[in-house]
Amino acid sequence: MLHVDAYSRPISYLRISVTDRCNLRCVYCMPPEGVAWMPHEAILTYEEIVEVVRAAAELGISKVRLTGGEPLVRLDIEELVRGISQVPGIDDLAVTTNGILLPRHAAQLAEAGLHRVNISLDSLRPERYESITRGGHLEDVLEGMEAARRAGLDPIKINTVVIRGVNDDEVVDLARKTMEEGWHLRFIELMPVGGGDLIGDRWLDRVVTAEEIREEVESAVGRLEPAKISVGNGPARYYRLPGAQGTLGFITPISEHFCYRCNRMRLTADGQLRPCLLSDDEIDLRTPLRAGAGVEELKGLLLQGVERKPRSHHLAESLSPRRRTMSQIGA
Ligand code: SAM
């Protein structure tokens, strides 16, 4: 049975970070020196994660997304996908990835039961991509997208964090990809989460709002008409450019928060349940799991998470740095 929280929001979605490690060092996500990795023994095993998913599914959670860090750097990730895909009640299983390792994994992930992927891509220019990610190669991501397409992972959504003075001059080129190549692209407003160089006192100056992007795209390309996307019930609002096969979405945590329709909780790689991405409140699932907690006890803890979901975040008002970076929470 689907559970609703104190603000009448049905909670149907669990995002699971499978590792805090990443093969990139995006400037807005991680500090240049990196972050201290969680010790291996702190990270949930695949059996432990599947146990949590089993409990979640019994509470009516039907959608699971694996994230990180970079989920595809964790060894034998396909085995976790296989385990989760076999849990009764899970009908939407997705991964958020930077795409670099998709050429190696896409076919096996699809075969193991993965439905779809979101791929993060912040620039179409190779040198800029390399500088934003501190060392990544654009070509690898494009090959990853192609591998995902060949493997039948569908839809493929592309996520772009737009940052003033970094990649905001590419929004029109990116938007055109929805017409030229049928991309399902989402522009995301920069959040003050994480230890990246750009998340300091001047963070708000770096935020480019959806409204600004929309105006620029409409004046360069054409009117955006509201659109629907076949799969997913996340926070994006979708539009379509004239004649485009693909869609353009906006995720607006800053200019128009979408907490009132939040349907999710998060599990960190070290087994902490976070009712809200932007609150440091956490419920420890790892200790009970390792003390032999079964599905019933886990359901009780997950329900506490549902009950502890705050009404909304206060990002635009508070600039206090968060305890964990995005790569450590799993976004
Ligand atoms: N490594 C995977 C990836 O690159 O998609 C999954 C983890 S990454 C933390 C998930 C998403 O969070 C990426 O799309 C990334 O761009 C986004 N992200 C990270 N830090 C962010 C921030 N400060 N504001 C907005 N989005 C952020």
Side-chain angles (χ1 to χ4, degrees):
M1 192 189 78
L2 199 58
H3 284 267
V4 295
D5 71 0
Y7 305 99
S8 307
R9 297 170 296 197
I11 307 305
S12 57
Y13 180 11
L14 185 63
R15 291 174 78 102
I16 302 174
S17 173
V18 299
T19 179
D20 60 333
R21 289 161 170 74
C22 192
N23 47 356
L24 297 178
R25 297 282 179 278
C26 297
V27 288
Y28 53 84
C29 189
M30 272 197 215
E33 68 279 11
V35 290
W37 299 136
M38 295 170 185
H40 278 291
E41 59 281 9
I43 306 255
L44 293 190
T45 64
Y46 288 165
E47 291 73 21
E48 288 167 339
I49 295 175
V50 171
E51 197 67 358
V52 174
V53 172
R54 228 174 249 130
E58 289 194 17
L59 294 175
I61 286 183
S62 57
K63 172 174 173 178
V64 169
R65 174 175 299 280
L66 304 180
T67 178
E70 170 50 42
L72 303 193
V73 302
R74 184 150 171 193
L75 205 62
D76 297 329
I77 186 69
E78 291 80 6
E79 291 318 307
L80 178 63
V81 166
R82 195 180 309 283
I84 295 176
S85 72
Q86 288 167 1
V87 174
I90 301 302
D91 56 27
D92 185 12
L93 179 53
V95 161
T96 293
T97 171
N98 58 36
I100 303 271
L101 293 175
L102 274 175
R104 240 183 277 168
H105 289 272
Q108 288 161 296
L109 285 166
E111 185 274 324
L114 186 72
H115 299 134
R116 57 198 187 90
V117 284
N118 287 3
I119 300 176
S120 304
L121 176 62
D122 298 329
S123 177
L124 296 170
R125 303 182 192 175
E127 296 92 68
R128 183 178 283 176
Y129 181 81
E130 189 166 345
S131 105
I132 294 175
T133 56
R134 298 198 187 96
H137 300 303
L138 177 64
E139 219 179 275
D140 294 341
V141 188
L142 299 177
E143 280 171 22
M145 285 171 63
E146 183 50 26
R149 197 193 55 73
R150 275 199 310 270
L153 297 168
D154 181 59
I156 299 169
K157 297 181 189 170
I158 310 298
N159 288 337
T160 302
V161 180
V162 183
I163 308 168
R164 197 178 308 285
V166 173
N167 62 350
D168 53 333
D169 54 348
E170 287 190 63
V171 294
V172 171
D173 290 349
L174 281 156
R176 284 191 204 278
K177 291 283 188 188
T178 68
M179 306 171 88
E180 294 161 359
E181 313 213 15
W183 283 13
H184 295 295
L185 178 78
R186 290 109 57 86
F187 289 125
I188 304 177
E189 292 173 348
L190 180 70
M191 292 185 280
V193 184
D197 304 346
L198 303 175
I199 312 295
D201 294 346
R202 311 284 311 259
W203 150 77
L204 207 46
D205 297 345
R206 294 284 192 179
V207 174
V208 184
T209 64
E211 198 47 42
E212 285 177 75
I213 299 173
R214 211 185 140 137
E215 273 170 25
E216 194 175 337
V217 169
E218 288 200 318
S219 63
V221 191
R223 226 181 128 63
L224 285 164
E225 299 293 343
K228 273 206 162 29
I229 190 155
S230 56
V231 187
N233 53 352
R237 292 198 186 284
Y238 289 99
Y239 299 87
R240 202 182 289 280
L241 281 164
Q245 287 277 317
T247 53
L248 194 57
F250 294 96
I251 301 183
T252 55
I254 307 305
S255 65
E256 190 197 342
H257 76 68
F258 34 77
C259 305
Y260 66 93
R261 46 193 175 96
C262 184
N263 58 354
R264 64 192 60 186
M265 294 197 290
R266 293 179 150 77
L267 181 65
T268 64
D270 56 351
Q272 307 302 304
L273 180 71
R274 283 178 79 107
C276 168
L277 167 68
L278 296 161
S279 154
D280 284 334
D281 185 25
E282 294 181 350
I283 296 170
D284 180 19
L285 301 193
R286 188 185 63 203
T287 308
L289 263 170
R290 293 190 179 170
V295 162
E296 285 310 312
E297 196 176 329
L298 291 171
K299 277 161 69 177
L301 293 164
L302 288 164
L303 278 178
Q304 277 182 32
V306 172
E307 280 157 19
R308 274 157 61 171
K309 277 184 71 63
R311 182 195 288 268
S312 71
H313 69 68
H314 303 279
L315 270 188
E317 298 125 66
S318 114
L319 298 186
S320 63
R322 318 269 142 188
R323 201 158 56 79
R324 293 187 192 242
T325 66
M326 283 290 256
S327 64
Q328 290 170 320
I329 301 169

